[in-house]
Amino acid sequence: MRIAMVASEAAPFAKSGGLGDVMLGLPSELARIPGNEVCLFLPYYKRIKENAAIEAEFCMDFRVKLSWREQYAGLFRLKRKVTKNQPTVYFIDNEYYFGRDGLYGYLDDGERYAYFAKAVLDAMVALNYSPDVIQTNDWQTAMLPVYLNAMYRAKLPEAKTVFTIHNIEYQGWANPDFFDNVLGLPESYRGTMDMSGGVNMMKAAIECADAVSTVSETYAQEIRYPYYAHGLDGILSSHWYKLTGITNGVDVSVFDPETDKALVSNYSVENYKAGKAANKAAIQRELGLPVKPETPLLTMITRLAGHKGLDLLCYVARRLMEEDVQLVILGTGEQRFENFFRGLAAEFPEKASAQLKFDLGLASRLYAAADIYLMPSKSEPCGLSQMNAMRYGTVPVVNATGGLKDTVPPVDPEKGTGLGFTFQSYNGDDFWGAITRSLEMYHQPEAWDALIRRDMETDFSWKKPAEKYMDLFRRLKG
Ligand code: GLC
């Protein structure tokens, strides 16, 4: 099958969050399946162009029409394939739109990504490349299924579209004049683009795509309700028949305690006790915490944003400090949370450490060193770090929502099943209850050992999710 994937970011080229990880792991796994031919389209951002390690060759250029504008587009192809089955990677070049320091956060983001979606379709036509399936991701590529239906059907007759939602909070809202001034769609699409008097690109993609997917089974159910949908519940409910949830995998070759170069000591499930102990002692030294092998080390590695459930952690923090524990927070974000954790670490220097920065090496060392991983997210489309934590033998404590519910079945001490500790309703006392249960089991070495082994041995690779995407693609092709 010819599969084209289109995204605004992908590791290792340009990544700001989980979407970037998914766009490395999923295309690679799909490309490994015999009979597949996978292409990935990305913007040629400044940071990719300037990265000497990424060599791309010029293929062609063409003009892209956006309403009254006609903009240049250059098409580049990644030169060096590292493995035989790697996807072909194309970059869309335009200095004016992508020659900037950041990825997102510009006033004209709407125009930049409408341009990108249209340029990718023009590139397919120019390449004489007719994919069977085009998979697009989040609002930045939401215009692609819309443009395809409205203007490219004759040129790309075979292409079915899948629109994948990773984050429903960002929908690509624009002023009503965006329709005439930028999009340049046929008049009949005015209603498709309209939502509450504005333009909403994600809403239009949900209407136009042949299938809509999201990144976990539970989240696919949740977003039909107002609490989760940020206004899109109505449109998702009326298009529920094309909505599927496929839980993400993680890149098991990147997140592997056996080979991760950031660790002071590598380990597998065979020798995890010695390995984790060495990493724990090292991190306690590195962060200036007392070196105490027996004290449970709890960690949270996250953007410090409200929906990650930080208010719950703030709520239980003082109670936690009364226990024999250590707590390490790694991440940056909202000022109120940074202040809170900075204050906590100052008040309890023996027990709490606030690492208010973005540091991938430290993240790896913490996954390896910690005993318990906290993730009380208010909502979570999938979440990847709970899976990374489990691969490193760190037991998750999570709110049972979205992908957290699908990837962390609750521990049943009687039966000896489950992978972590969960709570069901978003409040601090229930979170505290789950933390307490995890600490209790931590002090029962046999049960704890069995739990860590289950966590480390669970298959979180992209293999199964990629097969589910293939099933979806095949259903679309009928
Ligand atoms: C977004 C979601 C996260 C998900 C990731 C990859 O960042 O918030 O839950 O894991 O996308 O799909």
Side-chain angles (χ1 to χ4, degrees):
M1 195 178 291
R2 288 183 304 271
I3 303 164
M5 310 181 79
V6 189
S8 57
E9 59 176 89
F13 308 107
K15 164 184 150 176
S16 79
L19 170 63
D21 290 314
V22 170
M23 293 320 291
L24 169 63
L26 178 57
S28 312
E29 191 62 43
L30 287 172
R32 244 170 251 139
I33 297 175
N36 280 352
E37 226 179 78
V38 182
C39 289
L40 172 63
F41 289 86
L42 296 169
Y44 205 9
Y45 294 113
K46 184 174 172 186
R47 66 178 67 171
I48 302 180
K49 247 186 183 175
E50 288 181 351
N51 185 339
I54 304 171
E55 259 188 273
E57 60 194 353
F58 175 80
C59 306
M60 60 176 79
D61 62 12
F62 46 89
R63 317 286 300 177
V64 178
K65 276 204 188 117
L66 275 184
S67 185
W68 49 268
R69 293 169 199 74
E70 236 191 64
Q71 307 285 39
Y72 165 89
L75 184 69
F76 285 74
R77 185 174 37 222
L78 182 68
K79 240 186 180 168
R80 198 161 34 96
K81 282 202 181 186
V82 181
T83 57
K84 206 173 109 234
N85 297 324
Q86 209 180 292
T88 306
V89 183
Y90 287 107
F91 301 110
I92 300 288
D93 178 41
N94 178 298
E95 275 294 319
Y96 169 66
Y97 288 130
F98 303 127
R100 311 181 189 186
D101 290 334
L103 303 184
Y104 320 121
Y106 300 99
L107 281 176
D108 60 346
D109 277 0
E111 181 180 326
R112 294 169 72 221
Y113 290 104
Y115 161 84
F116 175 59
K118 203 147 186 264
V120 169
L121 288 166
D122 285 331
M124 289 174 180
V125 173
L127 285 166
N128 211 355
Y129 163 66
S130 176
D132 294 301
V133 174
I134 307 177
Q135 190 266 348
T136 65
N137 298 278
D138 275 352
W139 80 264
Q140 291 93 338
T141 51
M143 283 312 296
L144 195 146
V146 186
Y147 279 129
L148 179 62
N149 286 4
M151 304 164 112
Y152 290 80
R153 269 295 165 209
K155 290 171 185 157
L156 297 165
E158 280 155 64
K160 296 284 181 194
T161 49
V162 176
F163 176 63
T164 302
I165 299 172
H166 300 258
N167 192 338
I168 206 166
E169 248 183 283
Y170 303 103
Q171 300 173 0
W173 277 101
N175 290 327
D177 67 355
F178 192 77
F179 183 83
D180 294 306
N181 187 27
V182 177
L183 294 178
L185 283 163
E187 187 54 35
S188 57
Y189 277 78
R190 198 176 286 277
T192 308
M193 295 308 307
D194 175 80
M195 187 160 150
S196 317
V199 161
N200 185 312
M201 299 192 231
M202 190 176 266
K203 176 243 176 187
I206 294 166
E207 275 190 23
C208 292
D210 295 303
V212 177
S213 77
T214 185
V215 289
S216 69
E217 276 127 67
T218 297
Y219 196 63
Q221 300 299 324
E222 289 173 343
I223 52 176
R224 289 159 62 183
Y225 299 95
Y227 180 82
Y228 294 99
H230 295 267
L232 291 177
D233 41 297
I235 193 85
L236 281 163
S237 294
S238 52
H239 291 268
W240 63 269
Y241 60 91
K242 53 177 167 175
L243 182 61
T244 330
I246 302 176
T247 304
N248 287 331
V250 292
D251 219 300
V252 292
S253 60
V254 177
F255 289 99
D256 183 354
E258 259 193 287
T259 53
D260 188 335
K261 291 197 174 65
L263 309 192
V264 296
S265 168
N266 289 105
Y267 59 93
S268 68
V269 67
E270 313 304 333
N271 60 351
Y272 83 85
K273 278 189 186 158
K276 283 187 75 73
N279 282 290
K280 185 168 176 177
I283 209 96
Q284 287 170 327
R285 250 178 257 120
E286 176 180 342
L287 303 181
L289 293 166
V291 179
K292 288 183 170 173
E294 307 296 334
T295 298
L297 179 65
L298 286 68
T299 192
M300 188 161 170
I301 304 170
T302 182
R303 257 179 311 120
L304 300 175
H307 74 266
K308 291 292 178 187
L310 290 149
D311 47 347
L312 299 196
L313 184 57
C314 295
Y315 178 80
V316 303
R318 294 193 158 269
R319 255 188 274 180
L320 190 57
M321 292 295 102
E322 283 164 26
E323 306 285 320
D324 176 30
V325 296
Q326 294 177 343
L327 172 70
V328 181
I329 305 296
L330 170 61
T332 60
E334 289 175 33
Q335 207 58 48
R336 58 183 168 136
F337 297 128
E338 292 201 358
N339 290 342
F340 180 89
F341 292 114
R342 203 178 282 122
L344 192 75
E347 193 177 342
F348 302 96
E350 311 259 283
K351 290 191 165 180
S353 167
Q355 300 297 315
L356 306 174
K357 57 185 174 184
F358 180 84
D359 183 337
L360 288 174
L362 181 54
S364 273
R365 294 200 292 285
L366 274 169
Y367 284 127
D371 300 293
I372 293 168
Y373 189 79
L374 304 177
M375 199 156 171
S377 308
K378 195 165 190 178
S379 69
E380 196 60 77
C382 180
L384 303 171
S385 59
Q386 79 281 11
M387 290 187 263
N388 295 336
M390 288 186 270
R391 283 189 53 73
Y392 283 65
T394 302
V395 175
V397 174
V398 305
N399 182 16
T401 186
L404 296 173
K405 186 168 174 186
D406 295 328
T407 56
V408 188
V411 164
D412 182 332
E414 314 278 90
K415 293 198 192 121
T417 56
L419 300 178
F421 296 86
T422 64
F423 59 103
Q424 302 284 345
S425 67
Y426 188 76
N427 78 70
D429 294 303
D430 287 3
F431 180 37
W432 179 248
I435 294 177
T436 314
R437 279 180 278 125
S438 73
L439 292 174
E440 267 164 29
M441 191 171 277
Y442 176 85
H443 295 291
Q444 300 163 16
E446 256 173 57
W448 192 252
D449 170 59
L451 171 55
I452 290 186
R453 285 172 192 279
R454 288 200 297 280
D455 281 342
M456 291 188 75
E457 280 170 350
T458 299
D459 177 11
F460 292 114
S461 75
W462 273 104
K463 225 175 151 60
K464 279 186 231 153
E467 276 161 22
K468 290 190 182 155
Y469 275 94
M470 288 308 295
D471 289 342
L472 170 62
F473 297 165
R474 281 190 213 105
R475 276 207 302 281
L476 286 179
K477 297 306 288 180

